Amino acid sequence: MKRFSLITGMVLSSFFARAQATQAPAYPLITHNPYFSIWSFSDKLNESTTHHWTGKDQSLLGLIKVDDTIYRFMGKEAVEYKTVLAAADEKNYTCKFTETDPGNGWDNSEFNDNDWKIGTAPFSDDKTVAKTVWTSRELWVRRTFTINDLNFNKLTLKLHHDDEAEVYLNGEKISEQSGANGDLQYIALSPAAISKLKKGENVLALHCTNTGGGAWLDAGFADEIKPTDRTALEMAKQTSVTLNATQTIYKFKCGSADLQVTFTSPLLMNDLSVLSRPVSYISYKVKSNDGKSHNVKVFFSASTDVARNTPQQAITTQQYTSGTLSILKAGTVEQPILQKKGDDLRIDWGYMYVAVPKTAQAMQYVSSSKGAVSSFFNNDSKSTAKEGTNLVLNTVIPFGTVGTTNVEKFVELGYDDITPVQYFHANLKPWWQTAQTKTIEQLLAKAAVEYPVVLQKCAAFNASMYKDALKAGGDKYAKLCVLAYRQSISAHILVKSPQGETLFLSKENFSNGSINTVDVTYPSAPLFLLYNPKLMEGMLNGIFYFSESGKFAHDFAAHDLGTYPLANGQTYGEGMPVEESGNMLALTAAIVRANGNNPAYAKKHWKILTTWTNYLVKEGLDPANQLCTDDFAGHLARNANLSAKAIVGIGCYAHLADLLGQKDVAAKYKAIAKGMVTKWMQMADAGDHYSLVFDKKDTWSQKYNIVWDKILGLNLFPQSVYDREIKYYLTKQNEFGLPLDSRKTYTKSDWIIWTATLAKDKADFEALANPVYKYAMETPTHVPLSDWHETTNGKQVGFQARSVVGGYFIKVLQQKWAGK
């Protein structure tokens, strides 16, 4: 029987390891933190250049040579551009501008702009980076330039606009762009547009309208360099891709050899020493598929874009050995540590590393991006550059003669960020840096030695996580959890405060770049409550410190700690007092529950929790006009879902008081919360549902905030509230999910899963959750999973790569805490 049980367990583990996700909007390859995060945005690994989650190129290129034939299995050769007319990222330029409507003809070459002002680009409202400050609604710019050579391969417009932009060349409109694009981007031009360019003097004219938020305008022209003709380079045929919690696994047919490439980012939350390592493995398994033996080499090329923010930043490289490893290292010459903050940024300090065991007998060298593939074709492994602006780190791994048995080798891709964040003006060191492990070389060596053990641990966790999610919500739900796992964790950085407390700080990706935003922590929480409550504490500790230190002198909780990577105090323009206070109370109660109902964490922060609770008692039942976590939807007064959050927060405080033995306090606040529920039900009553806004029966909204009442067993809202809402939601669904509320057809997928968890039977849960899976599989927007999408067509509305998809795990959490 013991042997039968063992065999059965092995079979089940193998099944759960295989039965994982096989499709995603984008595919995680290297995922550790907001700066070290590389993805494939295409279903086939060799269809596109790999990217940072922001969308900027961070090219990883993979080739395999089987006998005399070379196949590309990963990435594409990066597109290179030649400057035709420099934008401000390359050199300062002056132009004429006005902020008053110049009337018709302003875009023509002959227009008289003598009375316009002279300014230097870029134009922006951000005084720290603008060469000319622009704070008005509209801006008109004219830039005169001379060009003598009209021979182009593929001329592009290089444009950074915030917001709406119209671009004219010699009086003809050549481009019109909506919204804000966040950075200089290359925009293809039609032949008709290119034909407007003439030898001699030209005028580039731009009109930009700032519709709200930031403002920016900068432009130039660049010619896409014609790629080298590689008729001898063949495409490997991708036969499958599988995603599990910690890995993305690709399989290819490369002529007479089969290749498996596995990207492992070992984000194991039960082992913070492994979780905190900024080191991923790229493993290669090769075998013959025709019964014959073949000579095989694998080529891996990593762009030094991984270590810089913009392509103009100069890079320095180093090739060396350390102990048992052969290493390539690269970073910017400048090393501007913690000098930039914001959303659409890549790290430009610290160093990237490509390491390979000496036993692999690999050849490592540095080349230009353009020369990388040629070097492999020509068997030339000499470094051709040490410093420059377009360098790649190349590693050639010989597999020797390969037969029908798999031969496996791996490389490590790592990053030493030296000083990852600043915390109330103290620069913090990486978590992994200890008295025992002081250098990145030691860390890379440790990761290499532990490679087989770490992969075994990853395989075991992948299987168990999928099994738990499958049991909780079904196959489609389990696949959503797989897609969410690495994305959610890697939107954080793990460090220790100067006081020695754990800090697990999120970046509000593809939003405003805030660090440790409470209403991002709140939806992310279920994943971390499940697998390591200490990380959950690390998501709250900084917010508690901010208030308890007196630095945030308000009777409600802060929104954030700053703008990533500077956690020096709230930078968001206004608070969300009911939202964040309710979040902190609910999450503290959840931590206590995750710790086996040990109230020590709540006791430590009891004074400020009491202050926040009393604020909710005063202001929470019928909230004033304010923002909530769904701030993109705008201010809203009398928000029934926000009121429900306040009620649950007060109920959580009562529950915690009871655990602390404060029975009178518990009874008092439990009675307050129950009384508020009665009033809530009256004010929100809309007949067959409860309204979005009190006393407006023609509105509705998802009441996802009451899920903690159910999960924590607070027994505040009667079952009839849950039942009425679920029944109504099932009548309001669109093809790709349940809208957030009656105002728009867009939704938040994390909230849908929370709302679905309110359902008391599996069929209703799946009816609400399965359209989210359909969205993830069919969205036309190929970016790291967006949590804000349109329910009518599955398109991304905004947001991507955010930690909030950790909220998908709430059904697993609910089932675990219910003992199911």
Side-chain angles (χ1 to χ4, degrees):
M1 284 300 293
K2 287 181 180 178
R3 177 174 173 80
F4 174 78
S5 298
L6 178 63
I7 293 171
T8 302
M10 292 172 63
V11 170
L12 286 173
S13 177
S14 176
F15 168 76
F16 289 122
R18 291 195 307 271
Q20 307 266 336
T22 57
Q23 189 178 342
Y27 298 79
L29 306 179
I30 311 293
T31 48
H32 291 277
N33 58 58
Y35 283 146
F36 193 29
S37 180
I38 306 173
W39 299 66
S40 172
F41 284 22
S42 55
D43 289 328
K44 293 184 178 178
L45 186 59
N46 57 7
E47 280 186 342
S48 65
T49 304
T50 56
H51 305 284
H52 185 258
W53 66 259
T54 55
K56 295 297 186 295
D57 288 355
Q58 290 192 342
S59 175
L60 304 180
L61 187 67
L63 309 176
I64 183 170
K65 186 175 184 180
V66 181
D67 296 327
D68 295 321
T69 305
I70 296 177
Y71 303 85
R72 189 181 78 225
F73 61 84
M74 175 166 60
K76 292 178 72 172
E77 290 182 77
V79 175
E80 295 186 56
Y81 295 91
K82 177 183 177 182
T83 298
V84 175
L85 178 66
D89 63 325
E90 293 185 72
K91 77 175 192 179
N92 294 332
Y93 64 86
T94 58
C95 48
K96 296 288 190 75
F97 75 97
T98 181
E99 295 172 89
T100 57
D101 191 340
N104 295 331
W106 68 275
D107 49 88
N108 291 327
S109 303
E110 307 80 24
F111 182 79
N112 184 350
D113 57 16
N114 289 339
D115 60 344
W116 287 27
K117 299 174 186 177
I118 297 176
T120 302
F123 295 83
S124 176
D125 65 333
D126 186 345
K127 296 178 182 178
T128 64
V129 291
K131 296 297 183 183
T132 302
V133 176
W134 165 38
T135 57
S136 63
R137 177 176 169 80
E138 293 185 83
L139 177 70
W140 290 261
V141 172
R142 287 171 53 86
R143 181 182 182 186
T144 302
F145 64 98
T146 301
I147 192 165
N148 295 314
D149 185 1
L150 298 179
N151 292 313
F152 306 115
N153 172 52
K154 189 183 292 184
L155 188 69
T156 62
L157 172 67
K158 191 176 177 183
L159 178 66
H160 182 180
H161 61 94
D162 189 350
D163 294 287
E164 320 290 337
E166 297 172 304
V167 184
Y168 300 83
L169 180 59
N170 298 324
E172 296 287 337
K173 184 185 285 188
I174 60 170
S175 183
E176 185 169 3
Q177 303 294 324
S178 61
N181 67 347
D183 201 353
L184 283 163
Q185 294 183 359
Y186 296 96
I187 298 168
L189 294 174
S190 68
I194 296 170
S195 70
K196 302 305 175 187
L197 202 60
K198 61 186 180 181
K199 278 190 177 183
E201 189 174 275
N202 295 265
V203 174
L204 176 64
L206 304 103
H207 173 217
C208 193
T209 303
N210 179 22
T211 58
W216 196 287
L217 186 61
D218 181 25
F221 290 113
D223 188 27
E224 183 179 313
I225 297 173
K226 189 174 183 179
T228 305
D229 182 23
R230 303 219 183 270
T231 54
L233 181 63
E234 298 195 20
M235 292 301 100
K237 181 182 179 182
Q238 183 174 310
T239 57
S240 71
V241 57
T242 304
L243 300 96
N244 54 49
T246 63
Q247 297 173 310
T248 303
I249 305 166
Y250 294 91
K251 292 184 178 181
F252 302 90
K253 186 175 187 298
C254 310
S256 49
D258 289 342
L259 169 68
Q260 177 177 301
V261 183
T262 301
F263 297 86
T264 304
S265 294
L267 304 184
L268 299 171
M269 284 189 274
N270 65 344
D271 188 341
L272 297 187
S273 67
V274 174
L275 178 76
S276 65
R277 284 180 198 167
V279 180
S280 279
Y281 305 107
I282 306 174
S283 311
Y284 308 95
K285 286 184 180 178
V286 186
K287 67 176 181 179
S288 168
N289 60 32
D290 65 358
K292 300 177 183 178
S293 295
H294 302 279
N295 190 266
V296 175
K297 290 181 181 178
V298 168
F299 172 81
F300 173 64
S301 180
S303 169
T304 56
D305 284 343
V306 172
R308 64 182 177 180
N309 182 44
T310 66
Q312 289 70 42
Q313 291 179 289
I315 292 288
T316 184
T317 66
Q318 184 181 354
Q319 178 185 355
Y320 63 107
T321 61
S322 176
T324 59
L325 297 177
S326 175
I327 299 173
L328 289 169
K329 170 184 177 181
T332 59
V333 173
E334 183 186 6
Q335 289 296 301
I337 295 176
L338 296 172
Q339 293 303 299
K340 298 180 181 68
K341 62 179 181 177
D343 181 34
D344 189 12
L345 293 173
R346 276 68 45 203
I347 195 168
D348 59 3
W349 73 89
Y351 297 90
M352 63 180 290
Y353 294 82
V354 179
V356 60
K358 287 180 180 177
T359 53
Q361 298 182 317
M363 295 175 288
Q364 292 193 296
Y365 58 101
V366 181
S367 73
S368 68
S369 173
K370 190 175 182 180
V373 174
S374 297
S375 70
F376 188 55
F377 267 87
N378 299 331
N379 199 29
D380 183 1
S381 58
K382 292 180 181 178
S383 290
T384 56
K386 184 177 180 181
E387 291 191 2
T389 57
N390 196 17
L391 303 181
V392 293
L393 307 182
N394 303 315
T395 301
V396 178
I397 306 173
F399 280 71
T401 302
V402 174
T404 55
T405 302
N406 270 317
V407 179
E408 179 177 357
K409 297 190 179 185
F410 70 92
V411 298
E412 296 176 325
L413 187 60
Y415 205 98
D416 182 4
D417 50 16
I418 302 173
T419 304
V421 294
Q422 188 175 91
Y423 180 72
F424 294 102
H425 306 287
N427 290 352
L428 304 184
K429 67 179 184 180
W431 177 284
W432 59 262
Q433 202 172 77
T434 64
Q436 293 74 36
T437 308
K438 298 179 180 179
T439 69
I440 190 69
E441 288 83 3
Q442 289 175 314
L443 190 72
L444 290 164
K446 187 176 178 67
V449 168
E450 294 181 0
Y451 169 76
V453 174
V454 169
L455 258 63
Q456 286 176 4
K457 289 181 178 179
C458 286
F461 177 76
N462 297 338
S464 66
M465 191 224 81
Y466 190 84
K467 179 182 178 182
D468 290 344
L470 181 68
K471 182 180 178 182
D475 182 58
K476 292 178 180 178
Y477 169 72
K479 287 178 167 61
L480 281 174
C481 290
V482 168
L483 300 188
Y485 185 82
R486 274 175 284 167
Q487 174 171 314
S488 184
I489 298 171
S490 61
H492 298 80
I493 188 74
L494 180 62
V495 288
K496 286 183 180 177
S497 74
Q499 296 77 28
E501 284 196 315
T502 299
L503 297 173
F504 194 49
L505 305 174
S506 64
K507 179 175 181 180
E508 193 169 341
N509 288 346
F510 213 82
S511 179
N512 63 358
S514 289
I515 188 168
N516 205 191
T517 303
V518 179
D519 57 281
V520 168
T521 294
Y522 177 68
S524 308
L527 173 61
F528 305 101
L529 289 164
L530 264 171
Y531 294 113
N532 193 336
K534 275 294 175 188
L535 291 175
M536 188 70 250
E537 291 178 19
M539 297 159 79
L540 303 192
N541 286 339
I543 300 295
F544 277 124
Y545 173 76
F546 194 18
S547 284
E548 291 166 345
S549 65
K551 297 177 189 296
F552 188 74
H554 298 276
D555 55 356
F556 51 84
H559 171 272
D560 62 79
L561 291 184
T563 302
Y564 198 93
L566 307 181
N568 295 325
Q570 181 171 315
T571 52
Y572 193 69
E574 66 178 282
M576 299 182 187
V578 173
E579 171 72 36
E580 311 304 16
S581 300
N583 291 341
M584 290 296 290
L585 282 154
L587 294 178
T588 300
I591 287 169
V592 167
R593 173 65 182 83
N595 287 330
N597 285 325
N598 181 342
Y601 190 72
K603 184 177 181 179
K604 180 179 179 181
H605 302 292
W606 195 243
K607 183 177 179 181
I608 195 65
L609 289 170
T610 301
T611 299
W612 293 339
T613 302
N614 287 330
Y615 179 86
L616 293 179
V617 170
K618 180 182 176 183
E619 303 288 348
L621 175 61
D622 197 351
N625 192 39
Q626 61 190 279
L627 295 173
C628 69
T629 183
D630 305 314
D631 54 354
F632 52 83
H635 293 74
L636 190 65
R638 315 201 72 200
N639 183 338
N641 189 43
L642 186 59
S643 173
K645 176 170 290 184
I647 295 168
V648 169
I650 296 165
C652 286
Y653 179 81
H655 172 65
L656 293 171
D658 185 60
L659 291 174
L660 286 165
Q662 300 180 18
K663 302 300 181 183
D664 291 346
V665 174
K668 173 186 173 182
Y669 285 92
K670 181 67 176 281
I672 290 172
K674 293 286 282 185
M676 291 171 76
V677 168
T678 300
K679 294 175 182 176
W680 184 95
M681 292 176 65
Q682 293 169 352
M683 293 188 293
D685 188 3
D688 59 353
H689 68 283
Y690 293 94
S691 57
L692 162 68
V693 177
F694 289 141
D695 298 326
K696 288 193 175 182
K697 297 181 184 296
D698 59 342
T699 65
W700 66 271
S701 65
Q702 295 186 43
K703 306 302 188 301
Y704 53 82
N705 283 320
I706 66 174
V707 75
W708 294 107
D709 179 41
K710 177 177 180 175
I711 290 177
L712 294 171
L714 303 177
N715 299 314
L716 299 173
F717 289 85
Q719 184 61 41
S720 61
V721 171
Y722 295 83
D723 294 343
R724 185 191 295 189
E725 285 292 277
I726 291 296
K727 184 177 179 180
Y728 188 78
Y729 297 149
L730 291 170
T731 71
K732 292 296 179 181
Q733 293 208 97
N734 290 324
E735 183 178 2
F736 295 98
L738 177 68
L740 182 66
D741 57 48
S742 53
R743 290 174 290 180
K744 301 277 187 178
T745 55
Y746 60 55
T747 197
K748 290 281 274 85
S749 57
D750 48 343
W751 296 147
I752 289 181
I753 303 300
W754 286 38
T755 296
T757 302
L758 301 178
K760 64 183 177 184
D761 62 63
K762 181 180 179 182
D764 287 346
F765 172 83
E766 291 184 351
L768 290 163
N770 285 352
V772 177
Y773 175 77
K774 180 180 174 67
Y775 149 69
M777 295 300 100
E778 298 181 18
T779 177
T781 315
H782 292 283
V783 297
L785 190 59
S786 170
D787 53 286
W788 183 16
H789 74 269
E790 178 54 64
T791 62
T792 58
N793 57 25
K795 290 182 179 179
Q796 174 192 29
V797 177
F799 304 156
Q800 64 193 47
R802 301 209 310 161
S803 68
V804 302
V805 295
Y808 291 178
F809 284 81
I810 198 158
K811 183 63 176 176
V812 185
L813 183 70
Q814 182 261 325
Q815 292 283 287
K816 178 183 177 182
W817 286 358
K820 297 179 181 178

